[in-house]
Amino acid sequence: MSFHLSYRADPGNPWFSWQYVRDNSDTILAALREHAWLTGRAVLIAALVALPLAVAAYWFRSLAGPILALTGVLYTIPSLALFAFLAPYLGIGAITVLSVVVLYALLVIVRNAMAGLNQVPPEVREAAEGMGYGRWGRLFRVELPLALPGILTGVRLATVSTVALVTVGVVVGRGGLGQLIFAGFQNNFYKAQIMTGTVLCVLLALVLDLVLAGIGRLLTPWLRGRVS
């Protein structure tokens, strides 16, 4: 998606301009929607991949090291290099951006989900076994609910980092708010354009984090009682 802007930088080149926001409101909202869509899809896909990996590492301890090592190696690859590697195979567009940001989100979710599962008290697992729960029943009825705070922490961290990383998708033409920021550098370092994209990225990350925190409170009412 490309964003064509109608406003020219004034001689003062301020860091913020209401005129720029008014003249380009449709473009800004389109970039914000795309950024939120890419972030939401990426975190959802990453969670669907990371949780089974965390469970496998929890059940089979010999897999914990390789799983953490693999996701850790993926996390250390420079984002631009990963875009350059995947673009020839996946093309230029949203699929490439989603693939890259999902790979980066895996480590954060896997590590926190494993930590949450490992913190389930042994006596609780033994009690569940004594009540007749099998491996799957114990997982879904006991272990995952108790590990939920750790899992949600991983999802929140992955969401915030993904909001920032999606901007790098500008290199394949689908960077959401990154398109505004990059276009600002191309437009004679237009500060208002750069600042608008940056501030909206920060606000989007904060809003999504607050939403996930609220969902976490709703899903873990026993923690609220413990704090009070």
Side-chain angles (χ1 to χ4, degrees):
M1 179 182 293
S2 59
F3 298 104
H4 301 286
L5 303 168
S6 60
Y7 185 74
R8 294 292 181 180
D10 60 10
N13 194 18
W15 278 109
F16 185 78
S17 169
W18 279 115
Q19 184 178 351
Y20 163 76
V21 174
R22 288 194 301 268
D23 291 348
N24 298 280
S25 58
D26 291 340
T27 296
I28 294 170
L29 290 176
L32 180 60
R33 283 194 298 268
E34 181 184 54
H35 205 108
W37 178 82
L38 288 170
T39 300
R41 287 280 298 275
V43 173
L44 177 60
I45 295 171
L48 292 176
V49 175
L51 288 179
L53 290 176
V55 171
Y58 173 64
W59 280 351
F60 308 102
R61 301 295 177 173
S62 60
L63 295 179
I67 288 175
L68 287 175
L70 176 60
T71 54
V73 168
L74 292 173
Y75 192 81
T76 61
I77 300 175
S79 57
L80 291 178
L82 197 53
F83 274 112
F85 176 77
L86 293 178
Y89 303 99
L90 301 178
I92 295 177
I95 295 179
T96 302
V97 178
L98 288 173
S99 300
V100 171
V101 295
V102 164
L103 292 177
Y104 280 106
L106 286 178
L107 175 64
V108 179
I109 300 178
V110 167
R111 179 174 291 176
N112 282 276
M114 287 177 58
L117 288 168
N118 287 325
Q119 288 174 0
V120 176
E123 58 270 20
V124 173
R125 292 196 295 268
E126 294 172 1
E129 292 176 0
M131 295 174 64
Y133 286 119
R135 170 173 282 184
W136 289 101
R138 189 171 67 246
L139 176 68
F140 286 106
R141 292 177 176 271
V142 178
E143 293 167 332
L144 281 180
L146 291 178
L148 195 57
I151 295 172
L152 288 173
T153 297
V155 172
R156 289 175 64 185
L157 291 173
T159 300
V160 172
S161 62
T162 298
V163 170
L165 188 59
V166 164
T167 59
V168 187
V170 67
V171 299
V172 291
R174 295 298 293 269
L177 294 168
Q179 301 290 133
L180 296 181
I181 298 171
F182 183 71
F185 283 101
Q186 290 184 316
N187 190 17
N188 298 320
F189 194 72
Y190 185 21
K191 295 178 181 178
Q193 187 173 348
I194 297 170
M195 181 59 71
T196 300
T198 303
V199 169
L200 287 177
C201 277
V202 174
L203 291 177
L204 178 61
L206 289 174
V207 169
L208 292 178
D209 187 60
L210 289 174
V211 169
L212 289 173
I215 293 174
R217 287 178 61 84
L218 291 175
L219 295 178
T220 56
W222 62 88
L223 292 180
R224 297 201 304 271
R226 185 183 303 175
V227 172
S228 61

